Amino acid sequence: MKAHDGMYIDGAWRPAAGRDTIEVVNPVDEQVIGRVPAGTALDVDTAVRAARAALPGWAATPPAERAARLTALRDVLAARRDEIAETVTAELGAPLAFSQAVHAGVPVLVAGSYAELAATYAFEEKVGNSTVYQEPVGVVGAITPWNYPLHQIVAKVAPALAAGCTVVLKPAEDTPLTAQLFAEAVAEAGVPAGVFNLVTGLGPVAGQALAEHPDVDLVSFTGSTAVGRRIGATAGAAVKRVALELGGKSANVILPSADLAKAVNVGVANVMSNSGQTCSAWTRMLVPAERYDEAVELAAAAAAKYGDRIGPVVNAKQRDRVRGYIEKGVAEGARLVAGGPESPREQGYFVSPTVFADVTERMTIAQEEIFGPVLSILRYEDEEDALRIANGTVYGLAGAVWAGEESEAVAFARRLDTGQVDINGGRFNPLAPFGGYKQSGVGRELGAHGLSEYLQTKSLQF
């Protein structure tokens, strides 16, 4: 697609306040594929004012009509699926088939789910002698990451619109073309002017201005825990609501009774998906000591198959960061059984699919989020040891448990300090709440729980 040279504000593409631009680079060949405006605090203020002006009308719009606009948005996203996939592939580097199935496909499901929820959700209920109303929280500042550029936008904007909120979106600077496509889809779906607004720009400038703006009632952010802390502190000073989906270091716990080959192969695939750039990836594989060598051999063989099947990471900085973690793992005594820090290609931001064995729980690669195609395999002695290791990080976003009997896996999963757990390879559910414990965040996305983040409660007594 051709990049817009303005901001989408109040239902139209408008010139940016400044002249600075951001280059969009294809991570496969390192070529510039577009330029977008580098938004300023003035652009953010203009967008927030438009959202504030549109709020009374959209909040008063009947839920059925809001549902109709979301249905239309879902249909536009479905019709433009190929264009979306090609755009994501160009600016993120994901293989086209993955972009079509996941990056373009999942947002259609999520948008559709909120169209249904908008039409069926109980925005009003009787509780004794009270009537309790669920009302929109107001103007939402949505700050989204680059790793799932459209999914993260839809997971924030769709529930906000369903709730009756208006939105200003600041997408990641690495993947702004996908965000511009989404703005086009919003316009095509007939969402009223000012209800959705887009400001492209850098996080420390446009993102910070959005988080700090006094007329933003809720900040919804997905990204690193470090930035999430800063946004939380800023919002706390203003007594402003936040929804934070942050980092993860999820454990893939393989219990002794599990089908080891299946658990290992699915686990490796999970880590390599999207070039490892998934906050919920199962980057720590926990294996019983008596089957450790077998698991390592299986994982190394599985990782070798991904050498030419995964795309690059998003940019040079991320490539160098991931390589640095791999070098740190070697320096701390972990054993490379697949991959390594050397680049597999001369051009592009590629990282070799990497597997470490002999990883101990306090090593850096077992504690910190790497955000690349890197798996650490840890051994445990018994289930209590596995539980202690699995819960032994500051994160608690996701995880997996494998066992011969589902009930055994469920019993273990209930003891994990994490927000979402897949049992024996459970499938993704767009209606299930997604979010973390501990430093993995505050709040939930997807489904009815995601909708409730954008609502506030009022009760009238009779």
Side-chain angles (χ1 to χ4, degrees):
M1 67 164 291
K2 182 180 179 181
H4 290 277
D5 59 3
M7 310 295 187
Y8 184 76
I9 297 176
D10 203 18
W13 292 97
R14 304 178 184 277
R19 296 183 178 181
D20 291 343
T21 61
I22 298 170
E23 291 185 343
V24 184
V25 177
N26 185 323
V28 173
D29 59 15
E30 305 178 46
Q31 299 300 303
V32 175
I33 58 173
R35 290 175 175 82
V36 299
T40 66
L42 181 57
D43 294 305
V44 170
D45 183 64
T46 303
V48 172
R49 288 176 183 273
R52 177 61 62 186
L55 179 62
W58 185 246
T61 299
E65 175 58 23
R66 299 201 296 261
R69 293 307 98 216
L70 286 167
T71 298
L73 177 60
R74 178 204 63 190
D75 293 344
V76 174
L77 293 176
R80 300 183 69 171
R81 183 169 173 169
D82 288 345
E83 182 184 5
I84 290 167
E86 290 167 2
T87 301
V88 173
T89 290
E91 59 183 356
L92 181 64
L96 185 58
F98 187 81
S99 290
Q100 290 171 331
V102 177
H103 288 296
V106 171
V108 174
L109 297 177
V110 174
S113 75
Y114 280 113
E116 293 179 11
L117 273 169
T120 60
Y121 192 82
F123 291 99
E124 177 183 338
E125 64 174 332
K126 286 285 188 179
V127 180
N129 65 308
S130 301
T131 301
V132 179
Y133 297 91
Q134 299 296 326
E135 299 181 342
V137 70
V139 175
V140 173
I143 304 174
T144 56
W146 44 260
N147 60 326
Y148 288 90
L150 184 59
H151 168 65
Q152 291 292 347
I153 289 171
V154 172
K156 296 182 188 303
V157 175
L161 299 190
C165 297
T166 56
V167 180
V168 177
L169 169 68
K170 204 300 285 184
E173 51 263 36
D174 291 289
T175 54
L177 304 183
T178 300
Q180 290 188 341
L181 270 180
F182 178 77
E184 293 178 1
V186 167
E188 191 174 340
V191 175
V195 171
F196 170 82
N197 307 273
L198 169 67
V199 175
T200 54
L202 301 175
V205 180
Q208 183 171 335
L210 185 58
E212 293 178 346
H213 200 289
D215 268 343
V216 169
D217 300 294
L218 180 149
V219 180
S220 180
F221 168 78
T222 296
S224 72
T225 297
V227 176
R229 289 193 193 101
R230 294 198 293 271
I231 289 175
T234 297
V239 196
K240 181 182 301 186
R241 283 177 54 177
V242 295
L244 305 173
E245 198 267 280
L246 308 176
K249 195 67 184 175
S250 302
N252 179 18
V253 183
I254 304 174
L255 296 176
S257 62
D259 181 334
L260 184 66
K262 181 178 180 181
V264 169
N265 280 292
V266 173
V268 170
N270 175 276
V271 172
M272 301 306 161
S273 177
N274 208 39
S275 302
Q277 300 170 125
T278 303
C279 55
S280 58
W282 312 331
T283 52
R284 295 180 297 147
M285 182 179 289
L286 277 56
V287 181
E290 62 271 19
R291 305 196 71 182
Y292 187 79
D293 291 342
E294 182 183 356
V296 168
E297 184 177 348
L298 287 167
K305 299 175 182 177
Y306 287 88
D308 57 357
R309 290 168 55 185
I310 64 172
V313 295
V314 70
N315 56 36
K317 181 181 178 181
Q318 184 66 15
R319 176 198 60 196
D320 295 344
R321 180 178 184 272
V322 175
R323 287 181 183 173
Y325 272 110
I326 296 172
E327 291 168 352
K328 185 76 168 178
V330 172
E332 292 185 357
R335 175 167 56 97
L336 274 172
V337 296
E342 298 79 14
S343 177
R345 303 190 192 184
E346 292 184 2
Q347 188 179 46
Y349 308 130
F350 289 88
V351 177
S352 295
T354 298
V355 177
F356 278 106
D358 300 337
V359 179
T360 59
E361 60 187 289
R362 302 315 304 174
M363 286 181 178
T364 303
I365 59 172
Q367 289 291 318
E368 297 184 10
E369 185 176 45
I370 298 172
F371 227 59
V374 181
L375 171 66
S376 296
I377 309 179
L378 298 86
R379 58 168 56 82
Y380 66 85
E381 298 303 324
D382 54 32
E383 286 195 17
E384 291 304 315
D385 192 36
L387 183 68
R388 180 184 58 79
I389 295 170
N391 287 338
T393 76
V394 299
Y395 298 110
L397 185 57
V401 182
W402 301 78
E405 295 293 332
E406 183 178 287
S407 59
E408 181 187 2
V410 169
F412 188 94
R414 291 296 304 273
R415 300 171 69 194
L416 290 174
D417 297 333
T418 191
Q420 191 172 77
V421 185
D422 293 341
I423 302 298
N424 288 339
R427 294 179 294 110
F428 171 74
N429 179 0
L431 298 178
F434 180 79
Y437 288 17
K438 301 188 285 187
Q439 292 188 29
S440 284
V442 177
R444 293 294 181 269
E445 292 187 327
L446 303 181
H449 291 81
L451 177 59
S452 68
E453 294 292 332
Y454 300 91
L455 295 168
Q456 54 191 350
T457 304
K458 177 186 290 180
S459 63
L460 274 59
Q461 286 60 248
F462 297 89

